[in-house]
């Protein structure tokens, strides 16, 4: 039974304003050599999904450049492959504001494919999940919708808005969905990945006015629990939610732990694919030094790096010190500068002698292209 | 089909016996080089960067890994509708089949490929050199001088000249003399093994040479000397820049070392003329708490916990705690345990070096490289002497 993939590229843009000022959440750089969408795309490719639509809304130029024809994810295909679905509209229509409206824009795509199931994923999740298992489970349960969830301890102070939780019966059917429930306990927390029958989904979208459906989670998942067969699929592997700038920094830094890297990059032998830039190898020159760090190709290290993540083509000059920082592509860290807990966007330059420091919970952000 | 101005024929069939165990299982052009490349990446990338979109790769010796690596040519942008890269191995035909007898015979057996593209010129290349070259400049000179054949030359020292084919030319760059590995070289212009022929001239010469039973069917030994003595228009194209023949363990090691340093002899980081290669989907490289990297290069997929000095580390290499790697080349997929010492070593792909083993010697030099062949395992605490060669499995 075949599935088609749908990826929402903008849906959580508002939550990380710093990094999404000039790009979609999907194209936010992550983990030294990837962008967030690579995880969703690779999970789909690894599950044998060969037809993927990416729903975009705005600022999707960098996303299109990154994805290209999709060949890096094996999605440059005669049948299906990768399709970018920009907002579709005439003079009357507005930019969509909810997942339902976004899917409305993808109706032509959804109608034109022949697959029985639709695997939908947001770009705020970083994980290596076997989606074919999810689809098999969905079929076995004869479900209308199967939602991925994690068993997680939720502390009281967590942000309420991001919480969608479920009660499940013995068969793992969802009996109740809560949104924004705040209590300190173990919970079944929704991960933004689900599978849904394609014809069922088309029917929901076509008749959303009649059903008075506006929000996918609030209306379908909350109000529909008795009406539809909605199941939960528990995922216990490594999973990071990138829903705030703090979490972005925190989850990136988790990758300095080998067990986390193995779980994310080598789970069941499944690789994470990304766009290939053919940079030269990374080079250490003179007294260049790096410890406990992830360093990409094309970097030239003459200074001192520790506890950091350096993307492609970063130059750390002699005497510069980079600690606990995330430095995006082609940044230039000049002689004698000192960085601690900094997130530097693409093509930034830190001039010599500058001292910049944030804190682990509040990293200092340098916007794209800035010279400091 | 639109007529092509120039197509390339890349000679990649040689065994490379002087690379010992490195070429037991694979052809020389497929040997790992410079952290993330294979030797053939340089010539293929040069073709793409020079606007040549049709390349025939002549393979013969152990072609499996090489053919698989080239694939449809995607990594070098050579997956084309009209043209692209094609592997040309010896084949059986109705009137029989035979192995490639020499460089010229290899091209002769594939004349149908050249005729199919109906090109005006043919660029002949070898797949065992490390360099960045814009062939379009050479082609422009070839066309403007209306040459029958243009030969790329590079100036070498008088001492080195004895190892190469040496060209002499007049003030117009027209070739006046050619000697193969002369004892007393008349000039220092060494042939790089890069030729551009007018297609019609090449076809004629190859057919003629094939009928000569005394010929060894070799460009350097037969075709070029014949054309010169028979007064065909032959010119030299002077190339300056980095160029290295990596036919021996020492020269392959040297070429790897030439990539190191702030101002390296051969700069891979320069943005002009990128070298493309097949990039495996590997996680980023992690440098551990006690990792110390000095004057070295590495690429994705590595986990380094030990010390690395003056070395070139390929993809997917693991280096354990308290291990010291110096003046060495470690090829892809190799696992090095804890407390290992490697000095003046060349470790082929997918080798396992167990804890406490010692390969090579700190006091050694480039002429005594310890070589460990692919898929080998070096036992715990074992010692491999400098200059020793361990065969591939």
């Amino acid at each position: 039974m075949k599935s088609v993939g749908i990826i929402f590229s903008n849906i959580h843009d508002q939550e990380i304003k710093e990094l999404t000022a000039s790009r979609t959440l999907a194209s936010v750089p992550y983990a030294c050599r990837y962008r967030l969408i690579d995880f969703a795309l690779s999970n789909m490719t690894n599950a044998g999904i060969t037809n993927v639509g990416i729903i975009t809304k705005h600022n999707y130029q960098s996303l299109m450049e990154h994805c290209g024809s999709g060949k890096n994810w094996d999605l440059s295909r005669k049948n299906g492959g990768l399709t970018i679905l920009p907002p579709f509209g005439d003079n009357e229509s507005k930019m969509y504001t909810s997942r339902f409206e976004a899917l409305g824009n993808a109706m032509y795509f959804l109608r034109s494919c022949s697959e029985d199931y639709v695997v939908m994923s947001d770009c705020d999740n970083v994980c290596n999940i076997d989606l074919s298992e999810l689809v098999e489970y969905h079929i076995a349960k004869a479900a209308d919708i199967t939602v991925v969830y994690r068993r997680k301890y939720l502390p009281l102070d967590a942000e309420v808005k991001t919480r969608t939780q479920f009660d499940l019966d013995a068969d793992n059917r969802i009996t109740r969905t809560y949104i924004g429930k705040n209590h300190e306990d173990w919970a079944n927390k929704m991960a933004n990945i689900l599978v849904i029958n394609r014809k069922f989904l088309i029917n929901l979208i076509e008749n959303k006015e009649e059903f008075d459906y506006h929000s996918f989670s609030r209306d379908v998942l909350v109000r529909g629990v008795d009406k539809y067969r909605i199941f939960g699929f528990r995922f216990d592997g490594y999973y990071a939610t990138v829903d705030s700038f703090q979490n972005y920094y925190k989850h990136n830094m988790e990758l300095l732990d080998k067990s986390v890297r193995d779980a994310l990059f080598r789970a069941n032998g499944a690789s994470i694919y990304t766009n290939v830039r053919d940079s030269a190898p990374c080079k250490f020159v003179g007294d260049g030094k790096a410890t406990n760090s992830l360093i990409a190709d094309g970097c030239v290290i003459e200074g001192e790096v520790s506890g950091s993540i350096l993307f492609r083509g970063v130059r750390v000059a002699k005497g510069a010190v980079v600690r606990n920082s995330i430095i995006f592509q082609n940044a230039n860290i000049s002689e004698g500068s000192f960085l601690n807990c900094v997130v530097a966007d693409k093509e930034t330059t830190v001039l010599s002698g500058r001292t910049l420091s944030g804190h682990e919970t509040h990293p200092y952000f340098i916007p794209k292209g800035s010279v400091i | 089909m639109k007529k092509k101005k120039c197509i390339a024929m890349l000679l990649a069939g040689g065994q490379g016996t002087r690379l010992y165990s490195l070429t037991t299982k694979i052809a020389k052009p497929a040997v790992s080089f410079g952290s993330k490349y294979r030797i053939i990446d340089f010539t293929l990338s040069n073709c793409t960067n020079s606007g040549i979109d049709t390349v025939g790769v002549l393979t013969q010796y152990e072609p499996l890994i090489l053919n698989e690596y080239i694939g449809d040519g995607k990594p070098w942008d050579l997956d084309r509708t009209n043209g692209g890269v094609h592997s040309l191995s010896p084949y059986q035909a109705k009137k029989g089949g035979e192995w490639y007898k020499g460089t010229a015979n290899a091209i002769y057996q594939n004349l149908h490929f050249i005729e199919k593209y109906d090109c005006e010129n043919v660029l002949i290349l070898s797949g065992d050199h490390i360099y960045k070259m814009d062939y379009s400049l050479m082609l422009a000179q070839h066309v403007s001088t209306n040459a029958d054949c243009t030969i790329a030359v590079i100036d070498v020292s008088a001492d080195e000249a004895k190892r190469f084919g040496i060209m002499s030319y007049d003030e117009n760059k027209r070739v006046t003399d050619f000697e193969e590995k002369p004892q007393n070289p008349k000039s220092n212009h060494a042939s790089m093994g890069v030729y551009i022929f007018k297609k019609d001239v090449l076809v004629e010469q190859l057919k003629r040479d094939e009928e000569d039973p005394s010929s060894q069917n070799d460009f350097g030994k037969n075709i070029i000397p014949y054309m010169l003595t028979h007064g065909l228009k032959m010119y030299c194209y002077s190339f300056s820049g980095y160029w290295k023949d990596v036919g021996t363990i020492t020269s392959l090691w040297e070429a790897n070392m030439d990539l190191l340093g702030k101002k390296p002899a051969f700069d891979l980081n320069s943005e002009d003329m990128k070298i493309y290669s097949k990039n495996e989907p590997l996680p980023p490289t992690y440098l551990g708490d006690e990792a110390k990297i000095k004057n070295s290069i590495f690429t994705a997929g590595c986990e380094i916990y030990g010390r690395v000095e003056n070395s070139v580390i390929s993809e997917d290499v693991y280096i354990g705690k308290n291990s010291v790697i110096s003046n060495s080349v470690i090829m892809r997929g190799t696992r090095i345990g804890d407390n290992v010492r490697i000095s003046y070593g060349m470790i082929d792909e997918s080798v396992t070096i167990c804890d406490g083993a010692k390969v090579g010697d700190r006091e050694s030099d480039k002429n005594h490289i310890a070589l460990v062949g692919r898929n080998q395992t070096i036992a715990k605490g074992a010692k491999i002497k400098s200059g020793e060669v361990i065969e591939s499995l």
Side-chain angles (χ1 to χ4, degrees), chain A residues 190-209:
Chain A
M190 177 176 168
N192 291 323
I193 300 171
L194 58 85
V195 56
I196 184 166
N197 295 350
R198 186 175 61 92
K199 287 188 176 137
F200 173 78
L201 174 65
I202 291 175
N203 181 43
L204 284 183
I205 300 165
E206 278 177 344
N207 299 303
K208 63 177 192 277
E209 269 96 22

mmCIF file of all heavy atoms in Angstrom, chain A residues 190-209:
data_model
loop_
_atom_site.group_PDB
_atom_site.id
_atom_site.type_symbol
_atom_site.label_atom_id
_atom_site.label_comp_id
_atom_site.label_asym_id
_atom_site.label_seq_id
_atom_site.Cartn_x
_atom_site.Cartn_y
_atom_site.Cartn_z
ATOM 1 N N MET A 190 1.585 14.610 21.423
ATOM 2 C CA MET A 190 1.534 14.464 19.969
ATOM 3 C C MET A 190 2.848 14.935 19.353
ATOM 4 O O MET A 190 3.390 15.972 19.691
ATOM 5 C CB MET A 190 0.379 15.305 19.426
ATOM 6 C CG MET A 190 0.270 15.282 17.918
ATOM 7 S SD MET A 190 -1.184 16.206 17.406
ATOM 8 C CE MET A 190 -0.907 16.336 15.654
ATOM 9 N N ALA A 191 3.361 14.116 18.406
ATOM 10 C CA ALA A 191 4.476 14.554 17.571
ATOM 11 C C ALA A 191 3.842 14.927 16.239
ATOM 12 O O ALA A 191 2.905 14.282 15.811
ATOM 13 C CB ALA A 191 5.459 13.410 17.390
ATOM 14 N N ASN A 192 4.322 15.961 15.616
ATOM 15 C CA ASN A 192 3.592 16.452 14.446
ATOM 16 C C ASN A 192 3.824 15.615 13.186
ATOM 17 O O ASN A 192 4.233 16.118 12.156
ATOM 18 C CB ASN A 192 3.948 17.917 14.192
ATOM 19 C CG ASN A 192 3.383 18.803 15.283
ATOM 20 O OD1 ASN A 192 2.282 18.558 15.773
ATOM 21 N ND2 ASN A 192 4.145 19.797 15.693
ATOM 22 N N ILE A 193 3.575 14.326 13.320
ATOM 23 C CA ILE A 193 3.666 13.411 12.186
ATOM 24 C C ILE A 193 2.428 12.519 12.248
ATOM 25 O O ILE A 193 2.093 12.013 13.319
ATOM 26 C CB ILE A 193 4.928 12.514 12.292
ATOM 27 C CG1 ILE A 193 6.196 13.364 12.321
ATOM 28 C CG2 ILE A 193 4.978 11.506 11.140
ATOM 29 C CD1 ILE A 193 7.462 12.581 12.637
ATOM 30 N N LEU A 194 1.717 12.362 11.164
ATOM 31 C CA LEU A 194 0.560 11.477 11.182
ATOM 32 C C LEU A 194 0.307 10.890 9.806
ATOM 33 O O LEU A 194 0.851 11.359 8.806
ATOM 34 C CB LEU A 194 -0.687 12.215 11.681
ATOM 35 C CG LEU A 194 -1.170 13.458 10.943
ATOM 36 C CD1 LEU A 194 -2.058 13.119 9.769
ATOM 37 C CD2 LEU A 194 -1.946 14.350 11.909
ATOM 38 N N VAL A 195 -0.507 9.824 9.798
ATOM 39 C CA VAL A 195 -0.907 9.247 8.514
ATOM 40 C C VAL A 195 -2.425 9.255 8.471
ATOM 41 O O VAL A 195 -3.092 9.070 9.487
ATOM 42 C CB VAL A 195 -0.305 7.832 8.313
ATOM 43 C CG1 VAL A 195 -0.673 6.896 9.425
ATOM 44 C CG2 VAL A 195 -0.718 7.244 6.977
ATOM 45 N N ILE A 196 -2.970 9.522 7.295
ATOM 46 C CA ILE A 196 -4.414 9.677 7.141
ATOM 47 C C ILE A 196 -4.803 9.083 5.786
ATOM 48 O O ILE A 196 -4.017 9.151 4.834
ATOM 49 C CB ILE A 196 -4.783 11.189 7.260
ATOM 50 C CG1 ILE A 196 -6.287 11.421 7.199
ATOM 51 C CG2 ILE A 196 -4.081 12.030 6.211
ATOM 52 C CD1 ILE A 196 -6.693 12.836 7.663
ATOM 53 N N ASN A 197 -5.975 8.472 5.718
ATOM 54 C CA ASN A 197 -6.423 7.942 4.429
ATOM 55 C C ASN A 197 -6.657 9.099 3.465
ATOM 56 O O ASN A 197 -7.286 10.096 3.823
ATOM 57 C CB ASN A 197 -7.710 7.142 4.600
ATOM 58 C CG ASN A 197 -7.475 5.907 5.444
ATOM 59 O OD1 ASN A 197 -6.320 5.570 5.741
ATOM 60 N ND2 ASN A 197 -8.538 5.244 5.844
ATOM 61 N N ARG A 198 -6.172 8.948 2.258
ATOM 62 C CA ARG A 198 -6.213 10.083 1.328
ATOM 63 C C ARG A 198 -7.658 10.498 1.006
ATOM 64 O O ARG A 198 -7.997 11.679 1.052
ATOM 65 C CB ARG A 198 -5.466 9.743 0.041
ATOM 66 C CG ARG A 198 -5.349 10.919 -0.923
ATOM 67 C CD ARG A 198 -4.491 10.576 -2.121
ATOM 68 N NE ARG A 198 -5.052 9.489 -2.884
ATOM 69 C CZ ARG A 198 -5.879 9.629 -3.920
ATOM 70 N NH1 ARG A 198 -6.208 10.831 -4.341
ATOM 71 N NH2 ARG A 198 -6.372 8.586 -4.535
ATOM 72 N N LYS A 199 -8.509 9.545 0.702
ATOM 73 C CA LYS A 199 -9.892 9.901 0.330
ATOM 74 C C LYS A 199 -10.625 10.519 1.510
ATOM 75 O O LYS A 199 -11.418 11.438 1.353
ATOM 76 C CB LYS A 199 -10.622 8.669 -0.198
ATOM 77 C CG LYS A 199 -10.103 8.327 -1.590
ATOM 78 C CD LYS A 199 -10.893 7.258 -2.274
ATOM 79 C CE LYS A 199 -10.338 7.082 -3.688
ATOM 80 N NZ LYS A 199 -10.224 5.670 -4.043
ATOM 81 N N PHE A 200 -10.315 10.016 2.684
ATOM 82 C CA PHE A 200 -10.903 10.553 3.911
ATOM 83 C C PHE A 200 -10.463 12.009 4.098
ATOM 84 O O PHE A 200 -11.270 12.886 4.412
ATOM 85 C CB PHE A 200 -10.450 9.666 5.076
ATOM 86 C CG PHE A 200 -10.822 10.154 6.441
ATOM 87 C CD1 PHE A 200 -12.109 9.981 6.926
ATOM 88 C CD2 PHE A 200 -9.882 10.785 7.249
ATOM 89 C CE1 PHE A 200 -12.457 10.428 8.190
ATOM 90 C CE2 PHE A 200 -10.225 11.239 8.514
ATOM 91 C CZ PHE A 200 -11.520 11.055 8.984
ATOM 92 N N LEU A 201 -9.194 12.262 3.841
ATOM 93 C CA LEU A 201 -8.662 13.617 3.984
ATOM 94 C C LEU A 201 -9.316 14.561 2.969
ATOM 95 O O LEU A 201 -9.729 15.679 3.318
ATOM 96 C CB LEU A 201 -7.137 13.607 3.792
ATOM 97 C CG LEU A 201 -6.456 14.974 3.776
ATOM 98 C CD1 LEU A 201 -6.587 15.680 5.126
ATOM 99 C CD2 LEU A 201 -4.967 14.851 3.431
ATOM 100 N N ILE A 202 -9.439 14.106 1.726
ATOM 101 C CA ILE A 202 -10.054 14.946 0.698
ATOM 102 C C ILE A 202 -11.493 15.279 1.100
ATOM 103 O O ILE A 202 -11.941 16.422 1.008
ATOM 104 C CB ILE A 202 -9.997 14.231 -0.680
ATOM 105 C CG1 ILE A 202 -8.540 14.170 -1.156
ATOM 106 C CG2 ILE A 202 -10.868 14.940 -1.698
ATOM 107 C CD1 ILE A 202 -8.332 13.391 -2.438
ATOM 108 N N ASN A 203 -12.189 14.286 1.625
ATOM 109 C CA ASN A 203 -13.568 14.488 2.065
ATOM 110 C C ASN A 203 -13.636 15.526 3.184
ATOM 111 O O ASN A 203 -14.500 16.406 3.186
ATOM 112 C CB ASN A 203 -14.144 13.139 2.516
ATOM 113 C CG ASN A 203 -15.580 13.262 2.955
ATOM 114 O OD1 ASN A 203 -16.369 13.944 2.312
ATOM 115 N ND2 ASN A 203 -15.899 12.621 4.060
ATOM 116 N N LEU A 204 -12.694 15.450 4.132
ATOM 117 C CA LEU A 204 -12.662 16.418 5.240
ATOM 118 C C LEU A 204 -12.473 17.833 4.714
ATOM 119 O O LEU A 204 -13.134 18.771 5.147
ATOM 120 C CB LEU A 204 -11.510 16.107 6.199
ATOM 121 C CG LEU A 204 -11.625 14.948 7.182
ATOM 122 C CD1 LEU A 204 -10.384 14.912 8.053
ATOM 123 C CD2 LEU A 204 -12.862 15.092 8.046
ATOM 124 N N ILE A 205 -11.546 17.968 3.760
ATOM 125 C CA ILE A 205 -11.232 19.310 3.260
ATOM 126 C C ILE A 205 -12.395 19.855 2.425
ATOM 127 O O ILE A 205 -12.795 21.003 2.570
ATOM 128 C CB ILE A 205 -9.936 19.286 2.429
ATOM 129 C CG1 ILE A 205 -8.762 18.791 3.279
ATOM 130 C CG2 ILE A 205 -9.609 20.678 1.891
ATOM 131 C CD1 ILE A 205 -7.544 18.399 2.461
ATOM 132 N N GLU A 206 -12.945 18.995 1.600
ATOM 133 C CA GLU A 206 -14.042 19.448 0.733
ATOM 134 C C GLU A 206 -15.261 19.885 1.532
ATOM 135 O O GLU A 206 -15.991 20.790 1.145
ATOM 136 C CB GLU A 206 -14.433 18.310 -0.224
ATOM 137 C CG GLU A 206 -13.520 18.250 -1.429
ATOM 138 C CD GLU A 206 -13.848 17.086 -2.366
ATOM 139 O OE1 GLU A 206 -14.580 16.154 -1.949
ATOM 140 O OE2 GLU A 206 -13.357 17.126 -3.497
ATOM 141 N N ASN A 207 -15.470 19.199 2.659
ATOM 142 C CA ASN A 207 -16.687 19.486 3.422
ATOM 143 C C ASN A 207 -16.400 20.225 4.721
ATOM 144 O O ASN A 207 -17.176 20.144 5.664
ATOM 145 C CB ASN A 207 -17.417 18.178 3.709
ATOM 146 C CG ASN A 207 -17.813 17.503 2.416
ATOM 147 O OD1 ASN A 207 -18.510 18.085 1.587
ATOM 148 N ND2 ASN A 207 -17.334 16.287 2.226
ATOM 149 N N LYS A 208 -15.260 20.915 4.769
ATOM 150 C CA LYS A 208 -14.887 21.518 6.055
ATOM 151 C C LYS A 208 -15.905 22.562 6.525
ATOM 152 O O LYS A 208 -16.142 22.691 7.723
ATOM 153 C CB LYS A 208 -13.463 22.068 6.021
ATOM 154 C CG LYS A 208 -13.180 23.198 5.045
ATOM 155 C CD LYS A 208 -11.737 23.653 5.226
ATOM 156 C CE LYS A 208 -11.446 24.947 4.503
ATOM 157 N NZ LYS A 208 -11.129 24.789 3.084
ATOM 158 N N GLU A 209 -16.530 23.297 5.585
ATOM 159 C CA GLU A 209 -17.528 24.295 5.989
ATOM 160 C C GLU A 209 -18.756 23.621 6.601
ATOM 161 O O GLU A 209 -19.269 24.029 7.624
ATOM 162 C CB GLU A 209 -17.954 25.153 4.792
ATOM 163 C CG GLU A 209 -17.112 26.399 4.614
ATOM 164 C CD GLU A 209 -15.989 26.192 3.605
ATOM 165 O OE1 GLU A 209 -16.128 25.277 2.770
ATOM 166 O OE2 GLU A 209 -14.982 26.923 3.675
#
